[in-house]
Structures are given as structure tokens and as C-alpha cells.
Amino acid sequence: MGRVSSAAGGVYNRRMGAEVAFEYSVQTRDRKEVTYTILVEKAPGHFIATIRLPDGEFWTMNRFDPKAPAMPKQWVGATPAAAADFAARILTNFFANEQMEVVKRRFLLESRS
């Protein structure tokens, strides 16, 4: 997997060309702190968001439906912020259902006008 690193002009994943939109640090039920990341990349006419789990894998379509393919789940939006927001809603609902406490939330997209 590509490494997420900070560089002039933003935070991005070199391998995928995806920009990190959100980072959520959460405390699990066993008091362990882990980080989930929402990545956004440009596609023709829209933006695609994916969720990277603490183990480096991506949230897959078969996470809750075993019959679905084991491909990364994607959320689409007209802007990077819209795509990231769709993914963030799913992720924060997951945190609430799993009784995880959000310790820190970082919004890393640059403001665009």
C-alpha cells in the first residue's frame, strides 16, 4: 500500500492519487485508540471517497453483505467535500453503533472557492 504523507500542497496517497479528506481517531470499547481515514480522488466529472480502516485495508462492499463483492466501497459526490461527507456519515454511524468514542476529527481538505 502507498504511504499517506504530508507534502506541500496537501496530504495525499502517492499510490492512488487520493487526497486525505478526514481522519477520525476513535477509542474502541477496549480503550484502544485507532485511526480511520477517508480518502477522496478525482474521477471524470465527480469525486470518489473511500474509507481506509486502521489495519490499512479499505471498507469493502461485503462488510455487511457477504454476497456482495469484496471491493472497496465508494461514495460519489460532485465535490471532494461532498463525497467525503457521504462516507463520513456512514463511518460516524458505524462508530455510534459499535460504541466507539471519537477522540479527534481532522478535516484535511483545502478550502476551495
Side-chain angles (χ1 to χ4, degrees):
M1 286 210 127
R3 298 189 89 127
V4 175
S5 62
S6 181
V11 179
Y12 62 96
N13 178 325
R14 293 181 196 271
R15 180 170 174 246
M16 294 190 58
E19 185 175 356
V20 175
F22 288 106
E23 282 184 351
Y24 286 93
S25 295
V26 296
Q27 194 170 61
T28 62
R29 280 185 255 175
D30 61 354
R31 311 305 277 170
K32 181 177 161 190
E33 192 170 310
V34 294
T35 301
Y36 289 78
T37 307
I38 297 176
L39 302 167
V40 177
E41 63 183 300
K42 183 152 179 51
H46 60 282
F47 292 85
I48 298 171
T50 54
I51 297 173
R52 180 178 297 152
L53 304 172
D55 64 3
E57 296 294 320
F58 286 94
W59 185 294
T60 57
M61 293 172 63
N62 68 346
R63 185 170 184 85
F64 297 110
D65 181 6
K67 295 179 184 176
M71 297 173 51
K73 175 76 175 133
Q74 299 177 336
W75 292 269
V76 177
T79 65
D85 184 56
F86 292 144
R89 290 175 190 204
I90 299 298
L91 192 56
T92 54
N93 283 338
F94 169 73
F95 295 153
N97 290 337
E98 295 296 317
Q99 299 173 352
M100 295 176 163
E101 179 184 348
V102 176
V103 177
K104 181 172 49 173
R105 176 181 177 248
R106 292 181 37 197
F107 180 70
L108 300 168
L109 286 177
E110 296 177 17
S111 60
R112 296 180 175 98
S113 48

